[in-house]
Amino acid sequence: MPVSHDHHERTIVAPAIIAGVGVHTGRRVRLAVRPAPAGSGIVFVRTDVNDRDNRIPVSGEAVVDARLNTMIANAADVRLSTIEHLMSAFAALGVSNAVVEVDGPELPILDGSALEFVRLLDRAGFRPQSTPQTYIEILEPVHVVEGDKHAALMPCDRYEMRMEIDFASAAIGNQVIDFVVDEATFRSDIMAARTFGFAHEVEALRQAGLARGGSLENAVVIDGDDILNPGGLRMEREFVRHKALDAIGDLYVLGAPLLGRYEGYKAGHALNNKLVRQLLATPSAWREVTRVPELAQAG
């Protein structure tokens, strides 16, 4: 009987390499994803750091800054930022174990979505491992609130997500997406949605020495009620789809797929990490389970 990736850990078959520019530093970085043994999780390695421990295993506690992106650090304070789009691809494609080598302080932004990372992983191929996959099952609701923003995890027999955003700009407005987080849906509805920002914010970030690599090549840029990108949007509700993409990556720092429903309203990286920490601080709200999902037998 073939092993389905629905209930065994997975890694990739062969290493795969991609290069691009970091959105904040504007520096060119090279990234290599390599296979890893079962039970080792996702580990990032800063290959440009050689005077101290350069391995940063991903965990909820490893996230040190989530204002503009998701940044992780290790005990030696070696940092790496903008991991969320690759983490989102790992989560959706069921990659439990991998080593990601990066020769700079942030991952390449590529086109601002998870599309190139999915293509990279597809090139690498997937291999089931003998260890059964552990899931994080949500047993009771966990909520976090920050001003008018909120995010929650609730019990559910599968991984579902509802994301809602609300912007004054007519280019965005109020957008909602509600879906089952699985590989097929991620590929069709989520992975190509690009990050977005407002022209005045991008300018302010540049003044602060950030967003040096940001451009219309890797983000949807809005000025007032207008979208500045010549090609416009890739899909309807691209903005909220990207927020969902981010949330999938932000929650995968937990190290296992969820059996639960995530609901976010205006939720970004900082709130998602707050939710992750709140969950970890509430042991009664979750448990680790190993299970074979009740896959539909028909068809």
Side-chain angles (χ1 to χ4, degrees):
M1 186 185 154
V3 173
S4 151
H5 78 256
D6 287 291
H7 54 272
H8 274 75
E9 289 191 1
R10 282 222 285 188
T11 189
I12 54 173
V13 175
I17 293 164
I18 199 165
V21 169
V23 69
H24 288 304
T25 56
R27 274 179 46 187
R28 189 168 167 77
V29 276
R30 191 167 168 275
L31 177 148
V33 186
R34 301 186 186 281
S40 58
I42 308 291
V43 178
F44 286 90
V45 181
R46 280 277 304 272
T47 55
D48 58 321
V49 173
N50 47 32
D51 59 338
R52 53 202 155 130
D53 180 16
N54 63 359
R55 290 171 60 85
I56 316 171
V58 172
S59 69
E61 296 83 2
V63 176
V64 289
D65 184 4
R67 279 171 308 180
L68 301 167
N69 56 56
T70 299
M71 182 192 281
I72 52 172
N74 63 13
D77 201 36
V78 172
R79 296 172 169 238
L80 182 66
S81 61
T82 323
I83 66 164
E84 59 271 11
H85 302 161
L86 176 57
M87 288 296 290
S88 195
F90 281 149
L93 274 47
V95 176
S96 332
N97 306 296
V99 171
V100 184
E101 297 174 352
V102 195
D103 65 356
E106 66 179 326
L107 266 60
I109 190 66
L110 306 174
D111 72 347
S113 77
L115 180 63
E116 294 295 327
F117 287 127
V118 169
R119 286 181 178 155
L120 178 79
L121 296 173
D122 284 347
R123 280 205 300 280
F126 305 96
R127 182 170 65 80
Q129 296 173 289
S130 56
T131 311
Q133 177 63 61
T134 300
Y135 295 81
I136 290 173
E137 183 182 15
I138 305 299
L139 302 174
E140 56 189 53
V142 175
H143 295 266
V144 289
V145 179
E146 221 167 64
D148 65 339
K149 306 172 182 179
H150 54 86
L153 283 168
M154 283 160 291
C156 186
D157 59 2
R158 58 186 185 176
Y159 189 2
E160 295 180 356
M161 179 169 282
R162 180 188 193 275
M163 180 65 87
E164 180 177 355
I165 59 173
D166 209 329
F167 284 88
S169 167
I172 310 177
N174 179 279
Q175 297 187 357
V176 179
I177 187 168
D178 198 325
F179 62 104
V180 178
V181 183
D182 60 23
E183 182 171 342
T185 307
F186 188 81
R187 287 180 183 273
S188 62
D189 298 1
I190 305 294
M191 71 176 182
R194 293 162 296 172
T195 192
F196 62 93
F198 294 88
H200 65 269
E201 286 177 1
V202 174
E203 196 40 55
L205 288 172
R206 289 222 170 113
Q207 299 290 324
L210 294 163
R212 288 183 182 140
S215 72
L216 297 174
E217 300 295 304
N218 54 41
V220 178
V221 181
I222 300 131
D223 192 1
D225 292 337
D226 302 315
I227 291 166
L228 300 185
N229 303 59
L233 296 177
R234 283 182 174 173
M235 58 192 90
E236 50 111 33
R237 290 179 292 155
E238 182 169 1
F239 303 101
V240 75
R241 291 172 196 273
H242 185 79
K243 285 292 192 185
L245 186 163
D246 279 343
I248 293 167
D250 290 341
L251 293 171
Y252 200 48
V253 300
L254 286 162
L258 287 165
L259 290 175
R261 179 173 169 85
Y262 167 94
E263 292 193 354
Y265 176 71
K266 296 190 178 182
H269 302 301
L271 200 62
N272 291 335
N273 187 244
K274 208 178 208 182
L275 183 63
V276 163
R277 287 171 181 262
Q278 183 67 34
L279 181 71
L280 294 173
T282 318
S284 61
W286 61 283
R287 65 175 176 179
E288 288 191 347
V289 291
T290 305
R291 65 153 213 182
V292 180
E294 306 75 51
L295 297 170
Q297 296 306 308

